[in-house]
Amino acid sequence: ENSFDASYLGVASSVTQERVADDELIIIRGCKSTRTASIILRGANSFLLDEMNRAMHDALCIVQRTFESKNVVPGGGAVEAALSIYLEEFATTLGSREQLAIAEFAEALLTIPKNLAVNAAKDATDLVAKLRAYHHTAQVDDSKKELAMCGLNLETGKIRNNLKAGVL
């Protein structure tokens, strides 16, 4: 009473069984209409595999959200620096204790570009100061709005337009 509809079958150029480390895997290559893929993670121990699995999950979620929202922002600390400058300016307009909280939050946002610079073995204080100067200029001078896209270039230790560089 079981039936199978031939329309469920696909087309592939090869189907092979291969050994990867201690595991036997079935590898399907050259699919006519590929809608899925497998990512094989290998590591020295279960802790490392768990970390890689979390990192891969995070990366795939980022890609999914990008496709869903159809929006991207420049990376390299650009957004955090711009928001920090904006919030510091906004905090000065308040006359209450909220001013202190907003100013502290603005400072906390800078931990992202600071940590990026430190992890790249660059001078975090100098780079973040330059980045803040770029974003301040972008917010006060309408003729320099393109500076709002600037973030850290961790390869050279300079500031660049990360939108044009493809760092998102």
Side-chain angles (χ1 to χ4, degrees):
E1 304 304 318
N2 290 337
S3 64
F4 185 78
D5 188 357
S7 66
Y8 294 142
L9 295 176
V11 177
S13 62
S14 72
V15 177
T16 59
Q17 183 174 352
E18 297 179 15
R19 179 173 283 284
V20 176
D22 293 335
D23 298 321
E24 290 285 332
L25 303 176
I26 296 183
I27 310 290
I28 303 170
R29 291 188 174 96
C31 297
K32 192 173 189 178
S33 61
T34 303
R35 301 216 57 186
T36 62
S38 296
I39 300 171
I40 301 169
L41 301 176
R42 296 180 56 212
N45 55 43
S46 61
F47 176 74
L48 185 60
L49 282 171
D50 288 342
E51 287 299 314
M52 287 191 296
N53 187 35
R54 277 191 286 278
M56 186 59 64
H57 181 267
D58 290 348
L60 292 173
C61 285
I62 290 167
V63 171
Q64 178 185 5
R65 294 251 164 84
T66 301
F67 280 125
E68 288 172 354
S69 70
K70 296 179 179 55
N71 293 310
V72 294
V73 295
V79 173
E80 293 81 5
L83 186 55
S84 174
I85 296 293
Y86 177 82
L87 288 175
E88 282 180 357
E89 292 294 323
F90 174 69
T92 61
T93 66
L94 302 174
S96 65
R97 290 177 165 219
E98 291 174 335
Q99 179 184 39
L100 299 174
I102 292 171
E104 286 299 317
F105 183 73
E107 180 66 27
L109 285 170
L110 294 176
T111 58
I112 301 292
K114 286 177 186 174
N115 284 331
L116 288 172
V118 167
N119 289 342
K122 304 295 181 194
D123 182 2
T125 304
D126 184 49
L127 271 177
V128 173
K130 288 178 184 174
L131 183 61
R132 286 174 45 82
Y134 274 65
H135 283 278
H136 182 267
T137 303
Q139 291 181 21
V140 297
D141 187 351
D142 285 339
S143 67
K144 303 215 174 178
K145 286 289 186 194
E146 73 279 355
L147 294 178
M149 303 303 162
C150 288
L152 303 177
N153 180 345
L154 298 174
E155 293 170 346
T156 64
K158 297 184 177 175
I159 309 298
R160 70 171 172 200
N161 184 322
N162 276 348
L163 195 60
K164 285 183 183 174
V167 177
L168 309 171

